[in-house]
Amino acid sequence: MQLILLTCGFILLTILVYFLMNVLYMKFHQPFLVPIITTTIVIIIILIVFNIPYDTYMIGGQWIDKLLGPAVVSLAIPLYKQRELLKQYIFPILTGVLVGCLTGMVTGVAFAKSLGFSKELALSLLPKSITTPIAMQISAQIGGIPALAAVFVIIAGITGVIFSHYFLTFFKLDSTLGRGIGLGVATHAIGTSKAIEYGEQEASLSSVAMTLSAIFGSLLGPVIAWIFY
Amino acid sequence: MNILIRLIQIVFLYGFYVAGSWLHDLLHIPLPGSIIGLLLLWGALSTKLLSLKWIETGGHSLLSVLPIFFIPATVAVMNYGHFFAGKGFLLIPITILSTFITMGIASFVSQRIAKQLDKRKESSKCN
């Protein structure tokens, strides 16, 4: 009985907070108010205030988490609908993703290493631009800490959601292709949720970039790790 | 009725995710089940094995609230606060800076090459 109550309670809490934060975002439309961030912060504050551990929250949260799988599968829809665009720009897409993916892995490790962080921490940072499950696999394979890698992935994603608009506009990288590829390569699925706001073309480019980046990352991640250590 | 159709379509999409996860376990493909599922669905649509209208409304309802599905994962950050105490705090600006550089370079490279492609097409049209 208590289990059902907790399950429904945490699901409803998540939906309610997300809904309210969405209303807030629609009203003010400031990038730092994107629901993924505000909802996360509000829920963490609620859990801390009521002294509820994360695992207890996940009794309900796991059911929302389970829908992430089919939601990612659904990204095949914009991908399919924009197939002409993707075919037309196949070469710039492939090159941009490959160069970006390498940059993401190399700069993360290089910064951490030059500031004297341990090998374990630097290698957990390596796959931060790649979608969570793959980033965790890569970090485990090269000697990082998978759970920590997941945290860096989230920080990278949130950076994209809050700042990408200002950043890409400032540097005049705000073409459809620039936005889609930049978000997908650097900020994976979390950034893709932002790309959807721009439109179907950006969403499809970002999904392609995220998928390709995951493939390149799992192949090249171990090589980069080997070069540094 | 509309809601029922959406639900059935979501169950169908879930099936692609399950199939993707199953292939991941069976063939040890270094991609997660959800991305393999995405590729499977994309393949099924491209080869016309599956019509877009069978899954479109369900898929759009999932994509319209995509951020909510990340919440359980992002809330987990609360368990790792101690890693970022003291010097570890520097790992956050490092991640942010590296993300900016990655985004900038990926955008720049793809945008620049695309512009050259477009220009070449324009000039070949003129000839």
Side-chain angles (χ1 to χ4, degrees):
Chain A
M1 189 55 210
Q2 203 199 356
L3 197 71
I4 297 171
L5 219 63
L6 281 173
T7 308
C8 296
F10 287 124
I11 294 175
L12 281 176
L13 172 78
T14 311
I15 295 173
L16 184 73
V17 174
Y18 177 77
F19 178 76
L20 289 175
M21 293 302 126
N22 220 11
V23 171
L24 193 74
Y25 182 54
M26 288 303 163
K27 196 162 176 199
F28 296 104
H29 229 85
Q30 292 295 326
F32 57 85
L33 284 180
V34 284
I36 193 168
I37 294 147
T38 46
T39 311
T40 306
I41 295 172
V42 170
I43 290 180
I44 290 181
I45 291 173
I46 292 173
L47 295 181
I48 290 174
V49 167
F50 291 97
N51 210 2
I52 303 166
Y54 176 70
D55 290 339
T56 312
Y57 168 71
M58 280 309 278
I59 293 173
Q62 60 169 322
W63 296 98
I64 296 172
D65 193 49
K66 272 195 205 317
L67 281 170
L68 183 59
V72 169
V73 168
S74 308
L75 287 169
I77 297 171
L79 217 69
Y80 171 71
K81 287 170 89 175
Q82 295 295 330
R83 57 194 178 283
E84 290 306 323
L85 176 82
L86 300 176
K87 217 185 281 170
Q88 189 187 348
Y89 289 114
I90 183 79
F91 184 62
I93 292 172
L94 278 174
T95 322
V97 174
L98 181 63
V99 175
C101 181
L102 284 171
T103 309
M105 295 191 288
V106 169
T107 52
V109 185
F111 291 157
K113 198 178 174 184
S114 60
L115 285 175
F117 283 102
S118 68
K119 180 181 170 188
E120 208 180 26
L121 283 174
L123 290 179
S124 308
L125 200 64
L126 180 139
K128 68 171 186 329
S129 309
I130 297 162
T131 187
T132 313
I134 305 196
M136 292 177 83
Q137 276 173 22
I138 295 174
S139 69
Q141 198 187 338
I142 61 182
I145 309 162
L148 199 58
V151 176
F152 292 128
V153 172
I154 291 164
I155 297 175
I158 285 177
T159 304
V161 171
I162 304 183
F163 300 111
S164 63
H165 187 73
Y166 302 123
F167 179 81
L168 294 174
T169 311
F170 184 79
F171 287 103
K172 296 201 166 48
L173 297 168
D174 50 358
S175 66
T176 303
L177 200 71
R179 277 180 185 155
I181 300 300
L183 277 169
V185 173
T187 64
H188 46 86
I190 296 181
T192 301
S193 73
K194 173 78 187 170
I196 289 174
E197 280 182 29
Y198 289 119
E200 194 170 67
Q201 295 194 323
E202 280 87 350
S204 68
L205 286 164
S206 186
S207 319
V208 168
M210 167 188 87
T211 308
L212 284 174
S213 181
I215 297 171
F216 290 151
S218 52
L219 297 173
L220 298 172
V223 180
I224 306 279
W226 177 78
I227 292 172
F228 274 95
Y229 292 98
Chain B
M1 193 56 202
N2 203 345
I3 290 179
L4 193 68
I5 291 174
R6 269 168 212 245
L7 278 177
I8 293 171
Q9 293 191 347
I10 291 173
V11 171
F12 200 56
L13 289 164
Y14 197 83
F16 273 90
Y17 167 59
V18 172
S21 305
W22 181 75
L23 279 175
H24 166 86
D25 292 341
L26 188 77
L27 304 172
H28 303 287
I29 304 170
L31 289 175
S34 56
I35 295 212
I36 301 173
L38 184 161
L39 294 171
L40 286 176
L41 177 60
W42 182 65
L45 290 169
S46 302
T47 54
K48 312 272 180 217
L49 277 173
L50 192 77
S51 167
L52 191 60
K53 62 176 185 235
W54 292 358
I55 44 122
E56 199 174 9
T57 38
H60 276 304
S61 15
L62 287 178
L63 290 182
S64 65
V65 290
L66 182 61
I68 200 177
F69 305 120
F70 291 103
I71 302 298
T74 52
V75 171
V77 172
M78 69 185 275
N79 281 347
Y80 294 94
H82 61 277
F83 266 105
F84 301 99
K87 192 191 170 191
F89 178 75
L90 281 174
L91 290 166
I92 297 174
I94 289 178
T95 307
I96 295 175
L97 184 64
S98 166
T99 302
F100 278 138
I101 299 173
T102 309
M103 193 171 357
I105 290 188
S107 294
F108 177 77
V109 169
S110 54
Q111 197 171 293
R112 179 50 81 78
I113 296 177
K115 257 183 205 149
Q116 272 168 354
L117 274 181
D118 288 342
K119 242 184 233 163
R120 214 177 295 164
K121 245 176 235 167
E122 286 289 308
S123 61
S124 69
K125 257 182 219 163
C126 296
N127 289 337

